[in-house]
Amino acid sequence: MASLGVEAEQEPLLGHSIPGSREWDIIETEEHYKSRWRSIRILYLTMFLSSVGFSIVLMSIWPYLQKIDQTADASFLGWVIASFSLGQMVASPIFGLWSNYRPRKEPLTVSILISVAANCLYAYVQVPASHNKYYMLVARGLVGFGAGNVAVIRSYIAGATSLQERTSSMANTSACQALGFILGPASTDEVQVPQGNIDQVAVVATNVLFFVILFIFALFETIVTPLTMDMYAWTREQAVLYDGIILAALGVEAVIIFMGIKLLSKKVGERAILLGGLIVIWVGFFILLPWGHQFPKIQWEDLHNNSIPNTTFGEIIITLWKIPREDHNEGPTGCPVEQAWCLYTPMIHLAQFLTSAVLIGIGYPSCNVMSYTLYSKILGPKPQGMYMGWLTASGSAARILGPVFISQVYAAWGPRWAFSLVCGIVVLTITLLGVVYRRLIAFSVRHGRIQE
């Protein structure tokens, strides 16, 4: 019995069957259906707990880094933050490929053990006598490496979706065969499904779309706190509180979108929703462009000796993690004078910002879930571990480059240039989607198993 269990675990979720074979026509049993969804719910919980842990730790990185190593500066913080996504980007294809040839529990177990060990290291990085910041860098990188198991989880869930589609398709095929028995014999080509390869152009295009979607939201998350502190003269405490409430509201909005988008996709299709989501995102960032003649409050207190100090990338991204000064004062508020654009760029009104946040909160989850759904359908009933690994890696790269891009552009040229460039990126993405629109179809549709 044990050997049978091991053999079953080593089989791909969709088995080794090919279209047209006898095994292909076997419809999933009720027992297998319940077991499959039990596993999916466990994996959902795993991803949820991982995301919660990431969010909790992220807020404490900067004060913790300052406490354990006084030599750590703002620029080093950028490397610590990026190390998580770098680790995940490296690990995702590895774990995905591993799950294609071995039982999925192996990469999942190893990745969880790595995450536990990495978090223990993170908890004790203050113990060594020196070089503590480098231990933290390694710890966060290993946590990200362990988080690469999301590729395995996505491949399982995507495979389960394909299995559900295949089961439904086989049921329809059986009905058609019965109808054919009444009306007359059907040709072999009408019953069997030709085997075909995956459309690699569609795969690459979807990876690019997924990258841009996560890139856009990552830069939005990064810029929220500096933007609100500059535009509305919020203190650090106010910015953390108010922006936290805004992002929490966007999370609730995303849940509602996820619940309603399933019904909408059945009526208009995934591609149309993806296109509509990108358009909504473009409108959201266009609204963020500063207009009018009202300017933000200037933070003159930081101007000394009639000189404008240089601002590094780390000092911009650091704003959210800054701790109060030793005198417990919040310090000056407003747009820092070292950002020269503060003197001539109109402010973004709060109504503009909130309207933009609502629109981006609608467009991002719509694009995210539709790009992932299309990707899994394009891959079809084949082992998806390696492909899901590349998809996860592209998302990790987006979370690395998004904050770097927006921080550099925002600090140097201000929100008008930053959001104009984002609008341009979205336009190029919409153009790419239009070019490959007809190719973004399910594997079963492409090879004639079912009609679109």
Side-chain angles (χ1 to χ4, degrees):
M1 294 295 292
S3 62
L4 291 176
V6 173
E7 292 177 0
E9 172 63 22
Q10 290 179 356
E11 288 184 0
L13 180 64
L14 303 179
H16 297 289
S17 58
I18 60 174
S21 65
R22 180 177 178 273
E23 292 80 3
W24 179 271
D25 296 330
I26 298 177
I27 298 178
E28 184 183 34
T29 65
E30 183 68 20
E31 181 182 355
H32 288 158
Y33 177 84
K34 292 180 179 179
S35 175
R36 174 163 57 87
W37 277 102
R38 190 183 306 114
S39 300
I40 290 175
R41 293 186 182 98
I42 293 174
L43 294 178
Y44 280 156
L45 178 62
T46 302
M47 293 186 70
F48 173 78
L49 294 176
S50 177
S51 300
V52 170
F54 173 81
S55 301
I56 293 174
V57 172
L58 187 65
M59 298 298 296
S60 66
I61 290 179
W62 175 236
Y64 191 29
L65 181 60
Q66 285 187 317
K67 181 178 180 181
I68 65 170
D69 198 328
Q70 296 298 324
T71 64
D73 56 9
S75 61
F76 191 81
L77 174 68
W79 288 107
V80 174
I81 296 173
S83 63
F84 178 92
S85 296
L86 284 171
Q88 189 180 49
M89 183 173 63
V90 172
S92 297
I94 297 175
F95 287 139
L97 183 62
W98 187 352
S99 68
N100 278 357
Y101 296 98
R102 295 290 299 171
R104 288 183 181 84
K105 64 183 180 183
E106 289 185 5
L108 286 174
T109 302
V110 170
S111 63
I112 291 174
L113 291 176
I114 292 174
S115 296
V116 172
N119 279 293
C120 290
L121 175 61
Y122 181 80
Y124 290 96
V125 291
Q126 78 275 11
V127 174
S130 61
H131 305 298
N132 304 76
K133 63 182 182 181
Y134 297 107
Y135 289 108
M136 177 180 280
L137 181 69
V138 172
R140 290 301 298 166
L142 288 175
V143 172
F145 194 92
N149 61 13
V150 70
V152 182
I153 297 173
R154 282 174 171 169
S155 68
Y156 183 90
I157 296 175
T161 304
S162 297
L163 179 60
Q164 181 71 26
E165 177 187 347
R166 190 186 82 183
T167 301
S168 176
S169 178
M170 286 301 101
N172 293 335
T173 300
S174 299
C176 291
Q177 289 174 336
L179 181 62
F181 178 78
I182 297 174
L183 299 179
S187 66
T188 304
D189 293 336
E190 291 177 74
V191 177
Q192 293 187 348
V193 181
Q195 185 177 7
N197 298 321
I198 297 173
D199 188 348
Q200 297 296 337
V201 174
V203 169
V204 174
T206 310
N207 270 280
V208 173
L209 292 171
F210 189 74
F211 171 87
V212 174
I213 292 165
L214 266 68
F215 176 89
I216 289 171
F217 192 74
L219 63 85
F220 178 76
E221 284 183 315
T222 302
I223 205 60
V224 163
T225 300
L227 180 68
T228 53
M229 292 181 70
D230 291 347
M231 292 293 118
Y232 315 124
W234 288 353
T235 64
R236 287 189 292 271
E237 290 183 354
Q238 289 175 324
V240 171
L241 175 62
Y242 299 153
D243 293 335
I245 294 173
I246 291 172
L247 292 177
L250 294 183
V252 175
E253 182 184 19
V255 172
I256 297 174
I257 295 296
F258 287 142
M259 294 173 62
I261 207 169
K262 181 178 180 180
L263 298 176
L264 184 61
S265 64
K266 293 180 179 179
K267 296 183 179 179
V268 301
E270 290 91 352
R271 295 176 299 178
I273 294 178
L274 179 57
L275 177 60
L278 287 172
I279 294 174
V280 172
I281 289 176
W282 182 87
V283 174
F285 277 101
F286 183 80
I287 291 176
L288 270 180
L289 295 177
W291 304 100
H293 302 285
Q294 185 176 353
F295 296 89
K297 174 187 174 182
I298 304 299
Q299 194 181 114
W300 293 106
E301 289 85 344
D302 284 344
L303 184 62
H304 300 289
N305 299 325
N306 297 321
S307 63
I308 299 178
N310 294 324
T311 303
T312 65
F313 156 66
E315 291 170 343
I316 300 300
I317 198 174
I318 197 90
T319 308
L320 184 59
W321 292 277
K322 280 187 176 179
I323 58 175
R325 298 178 180 178
E326 293 181 357
D327 59 1
H328 301 288
N329 292 326
E330 280 295 335
T333 59
C335 199
V337 71
E338 61 263 23
Q339 297 177 164
W341 56 263
C342 293
L343 302 175
Y344 57 83
T345 302
M347 72 175 296
I348 299 172
H349 296 280
L350 185 59
Q352 282 180 267
F353 174 71
L354 294 178
T355 303
S356 173
V358 170
L359 291 174
I360 295 173
I362 293 173
Y364 168 72
S366 303
C367 293
N368 192 328
V369 70
M370 287 300 102
S371 60
Y372 171 69
T373 301
L374 281 170
Y375 191 70
S376 63
K377 288 187 175 183
I378 289 169
L379 296 178
K382 297 190 178 191
Q384 299 184 3
M386 185 63 178
Y387 285 100
M388 287 298 172
W390 287 117
L391 187 72
T392 304
S394 67
S396 299
R399 290 197 300 271
I400 295 171
L401 298 178
V404 173
F405 169 83
I406 197 66
S407 299
Q408 297 284 12
V409 176
Y410 179 82
W413 299 327
R416 177 171 288 170
W417 271 100
F419 299 138
S420 295
L421 290 175
V422 173
C423 288
I425 292 173
V426 177
V427 169
L428 292 176
T429 307
I430 293 174
T431 304
L432 172 63
L433 177 58
V435 171
V436 299
Y437 193 86
R438 292 183 175 274
R439 305 189 72 149
L440 301 182
I441 56 177
F443 183 92
S444 56
V445 175
R446 181 169 176 257
H447 295 287
R449 279 178 51 204
I450 59 176
Q451 292 185 351
E452 188 175 12

